[in-house]
Amino acid sequence: MPELPEVETIRRDLLSRAVGRTFSHIRVLPGAERIVQWPSPAEFCRGLPGRRIEDVSRRGKYLLLQLSDGRCLIIHLRMTGAILHRDKGAPEDSYLRICLSLDDSSELRYTDLRKMGSMWLVEEPESIVGKLGPDALEGLTWQTLRSLTDGRSAPIKAVLMDQQALAGLGNIYSEEALFRVGIDPRRPAKSLAGDDLKRLGKAIREVLLEAMGHRGSSFRDYLDAEGREGQHQWHVKVYRRTGEPCYNCGTPIERIKLSGRSTHFCPRCQR
DNA sequence: CTTATTCCCTGATTGC
DNA sequence: TGCAATCAGGGAATAA
């Protein structure tokens, strides 16, 4: 389930592997049409060939490929999407949904077991990513956190995962950041003091940078653009550790449902 | 405006 | 052991 560190890892892979390359043939495999959100799959396949990839950027969990004709290819991986940069003749990958051939006999293979990912080919990227809040890595200050949490009675974890408040955090890294600062994920966002928010902002940054240092977390499906797993799953403190002892105090990690999402935390360390 | 729930999708895991 | 129910979860849509 790619969150900010995973998407950023892929972005960096693509900077060296795809920037400067030009799209040739595009294939949307049968049954994968709904991944292409805009324009129609047929227009999508006609629109990309001949366009060079000028840059790859990121907003939250969205990847943006800036193209030579001024348009932008936007990709969201949802839970099981991956972008694999392979030689044309490489062994086939499971769950291939969209194949974007490049001019150097390589291809970007979009694989996605659950077919929930999305792509857009648009003139104006803000039409897709404009609704996002500030990026959790680039745009985070504690004053920002204050303005996001102000007046909100929703659990702090729900606010951290709200992409229109703060873009980039999902279940893994919101849980890890809250554990790091000892804050109960159920606490109403507005109940956090300024000092809590300062520490939380720092923890979010630290957790994201550490995960990026490990090239992301591979719990089930995540692979980088070279097809390799990340390593941060071996370093999480609470995520999916239900019943296992807290590394701080030994208390079993609890799992609850919060806003429809499973949530892991230490009932003793997080108040 | 807010927060909570459902749906999408398919393979892995859990429970009886 | 076998098979059905549940789980995983980002974000859009919908309900309240």
Side-chain angles (χ1 to χ4, degrees):
Chain A
M1 41 235 70
E3 302 179 24
L4 187 152
E6 291 77 25
V7 178
E8 179 63 19
T9 299
I10 294 170
R11 184 185 79 86
R12 292 176 184 181
D13 288 348
L14 294 181
L15 276 183
S16 55
R17 291 172 160 262
V19 167
R21 300 274 67 82
T22 298
F23 287 116
S24 51
H25 186 64
I26 307 297
R27 264 193 311 151
V28 177
L29 278 78
E33 293 85 0
R34 52 176 299 144
I35 292 168
V36 180
Q37 300 278 308
W38 185 266
S40 69
E43 283 179 76
F44 181 86
C45 292
R46 278 197 302 270
L48 283 171
R51 312 306 158 211
R52 193 174 60 248
I53 302 171
E54 304 280 7
D55 193 18
V56 185
S57 57
R58 181 188 60 72
R59 280 283 300 278
K61 305 173 193 172
Y62 292 74
L63 268 180
L64 295 86
L65 281 66
Q66 188 60 53
L67 306 182
S68 50
D69 64 352
R71 287 190 289 180
C72 190
L73 172 61
I74 303 180
I75 303 173
H76 195 300
L77 304 169
R78 288 295 206 282
M79 276 82 69
T80 58
I83 300 170
L84 305 171
H85 184 237
R86 305 286 204 199
D87 288 329
K88 202 183 318 189
E92 63 182 72
D93 291 289
S94 306
Y95 309 111
L96 179 68
R97 306 305 185 190
I98 297 177
C99 185
L100 307 130
S101 297
L102 300 174
D103 59 356
D104 62 349
S105 83
S106 70
E107 48 199 27
L108 295 176
R109 299 178 180 176
Y110 180 77
T111 63
D112 191 345
L113 185 155
R114 279 177 259 187
K115 296 189 279 193
M116 294 171 93
S118 301
M119 292 192 195
W120 301 260
L121 177 60
V122 294
E123 308 272 349
E124 183 42 74
E126 287 302 307
S127 65
I128 306 301
V129 297
K131 58 186 181 301
L132 296 176
D135 189 84
L137 195 60
E138 306 296 331
L140 189 59
T141 65
W142 80 270
Q143 291 93 338
T144 309
L145 277 180
R146 175 83 285 165
S147 70
L148 303 178
T149 54
D150 219 23
R152 296 194 61 172
S153 58
I156 180 61
K157 184 191 174 221
V159 174
L160 292 181
M161 289 177 63
D162 177 354
Q163 302 301 299
Q164 304 190 46
L166 188 65
L169 296 186
N171 229 19
I172 301 173
Y173 300 109
S174 57
E175 291 186 0
E176 293 298 311
L178 287 167
F179 174 79
R180 190 170 291 230
V181 290
I183 294 174
D184 188 318
R186 296 166 293 190
R187 274 183 61 184
K190 63 185 179 189
S191 77
L192 299 195
D195 182 58
D196 292 330
L197 294 174
K198 284 180 192 171
R199 292 186 302 115
L200 182 55
K202 185 161 172 281
I204 289 171
R205 184 166 188 82
E206 287 170 355
V207 163
L208 293 176
L209 288 174
E210 263 179 44
M212 282 162 49
H214 291 126
R215 300 185 59 82
S217 304
S218 292
F219 283 92
R220 185 172 296 178
D221 302 287
Y222 167 71
L223 297 173
D224 65 24
E226 301 173 18
R228 299 179 305 194
E229 294 185 345
Q231 296 302 314
H232 192 69
Q233 66 275 19
W234 306 114
H235 301 270
V236 297
K237 305 294 194 291
V238 285
Y239 179 74
R240 288 204 191 177
R241 293 196 63 244
T242 313
E244 295 175 38
C246 169
Y247 292 125
N248 272 354
C249 72
T251 304
I253 299 300
E254 264 184 37
R255 187 179 87 174
I256 59 169
K257 269 277 199 273
L258 210 54
S259 322
R261 298 284 180 251
S262 75
T263 299
H264 310 79
F265 69 106
C266 173
R268 181 158 169 195
C269 295
Q270 295 178 255
R271 299 290 182 175

